[in-house]
Amino acid sequence: MVDNTRGIVAMLASVVVFIFNDALIKLAAENMPSVQAIGMRGLFATLWCALAMLATGDWRRISYAVHPQVMLRSGLEAAAAIIYLIALFQIPFAIATAVNLSMPLILTVLAVLVLKEDVRWRRWTAVGVGFVGVLLVIQPRPGDINGWTWVALTGTCLSACRDVVARHLPPAVPTLVVSFSTAITVAIAGCIWALFEGWQPIDARTWGYLVSSSLLLAMGYQFLVIALRSGGEISVMAPFRYSSILWALGIGYVVWGEAPNTLALCGIAVIVGSGLYILHRERVSRQG
């Protein structure tokens, strides 16, 4: 029987640091172009990963950064980020977020088709119900859906493929090297794009947002790769990405004064219930 506990904990940790990273990069992007912010954040994240490799000794295996599977994952990460960002500029944030949070559904499908996981109807139902909860929170308007929505979905699908590739990384590849490769690839892609859009000066406060965001991004890369390499079932871990919407609501209320309405509160209850049910089924499976 597969124990998914380590993978679930790491996935939840990645969700927390990623959502705080998103909040900080959103604050930074209020004073500079979004693509420039992403590129600079990637550069600092690369620095954090490099320092961590020096501290742990993993720098001795830096040659794995150019391993074909590591490079494939890094390329998918950069492509997914850029494609999703392009779409985000063209469609409402609620629609883009709803599309992005369809990833647990996509990952569950890939877990069955590619990883040959045995996903029963209860797990399918929990994943689907969790996504309904996300829609209740975000409340996207169908009239805002257009061709760019499919572009956003393409980026989300690439992110899902990135996670599946992570499951097949050679055990000898240090997780820090994977994070380093990912950070530097996204940094290069973001900075090159920013050069075409035009570079703007950065004030001290924005530098603080960027540096803090980059540290959280590097940590998020680590937690995510740890979760995906834990040996746990992706179809079990993936739905816990929905918890990001709960953190997003909390941050939105504290930082921007955005209070959820009654329908959103119902959605929160649905998401929490879905996650608790998956944990319950995981405990029952282990006991069985």
Side-chain angles (χ1 to χ4, degrees):
M1 181 61 63
V2 176
D3 187 356
N4 294 299
T5 305
R6 182 167 178 262
I8 290 173
V9 171
M11 181 64 76
L12 286 171
S14 74
V15 165
V16 173
V17 294
F18 273 139
I19 200 66
F20 277 92
N21 151 73
D22 288 345
L24 288 170
I25 201 65
K26 177 179 172 65
L27 289 169
E30 291 176 355
N31 301 307
M32 64 187 299
S34 300
V35 180
Q36 182 181 342
I38 289 172
M40 293 302 298
R41 180 189 63 175
L43 287 177
F44 280 111
T46 302
L47 174 62
W48 297 127
C49 291
L51 291 174
M53 287 193 298
L54 288 173
T56 60
D58 282 345
W59 63 270
R60 297 183 180 89
R61 290 186 281 177
I62 189 62
S63 60
Y64 279 112
V66 294
H67 187 284
Q69 286 176 274
V70 175
M71 293 182 68
L72 174 60
R73 185 188 183 278
S74 299
L76 288 171
E77 173 76 39
I82 291 173
I83 290 173
Y84 180 76
L85 186 59
I86 291 173
L88 183 61
F89 292 156
Q90 306 296 330
I91 58 178
F93 183 75
I95 294 292
T97 304
V99 170
N100 194 39
L101 284 175
S102 67
M103 193 187 296
L105 290 171
I106 298 171
L107 277 173
T108 302
V109 172
L110 291 177
V112 173
L113 297 179
V114 179
L115 303 177
K116 308 302 180 183
E117 291 185 7
D118 182 19
V119 181
R120 306 293 176 85
W121 67 269
R122 290 185 180 87
R123 195 179 300 170
W124 278 112
T125 301
V127 173
V129 168
F131 185 63
V132 170
V134 168
L135 294 178
L136 288 174
V137 173
I138 299 173
Q139 299 164 36
R141 295 178 298 177
D144 291 328
I145 296 175
N146 56 39
W148 288 105
T149 306
W150 297 104
V151 177
L153 182 60
T154 299
T156 299
C157 289
L158 288 175
S159 295
C161 292
R162 169 208 65 193
D163 288 354
V164 171
V165 168
R167 288 298 295 269
H168 297 286
L169 292 175
V173 181
T175 300
L176 273 172
V177 172
V178 179
S179 298
F180 174 83
S181 176
T182 302
I184 196 169
T185 303
V186 173
I188 292 171
C191 288
I192 290 176
W193 188 5
L195 288 175
F196 284 101
E197 284 203 343
W199 203 266
Q200 291 189 11
I202 306 172
D203 60 38
R205 180 187 294 271
T206 304
W207 276 117
Y209 291 146
L210 286 173
V211 173
S212 301
S213 174
S214 68
L215 179 58
L216 292 175
L217 181 68
M219 293 171 60
Y221 284 153
Q222 277 292 100
F223 285 131
L224 180 59
V225 177
I226 288 171
L228 296 171
R229 301 181 78 184
S230 66
E233 297 168 285
I234 281 186
S235 57
V236 171
M237 295 183 287
F240 289 92
R241 289 177 182 270
Y242 291 146
S243 64
S244 65
I245 198 67
L246 309 181
W247 288 98
L249 285 173
I251 293 172
Y253 178 74
V254 172
V255 178
W256 291 284
E258 301 169 350
N261 58 24
T262 303
L263 197 59
L265 293 174
C266 291
I268 292 173
V270 171
I271 293 169
V272 172
S274 172
L276 291 175
Y277 180 76
I278 292 174
L279 288 175
H280 167 70
R281 291 302 309 173
E282 171 66 11
R283 184 172 63 254
V284 170
S285 297
R286 289 205 306 271
Q287 291 175 350

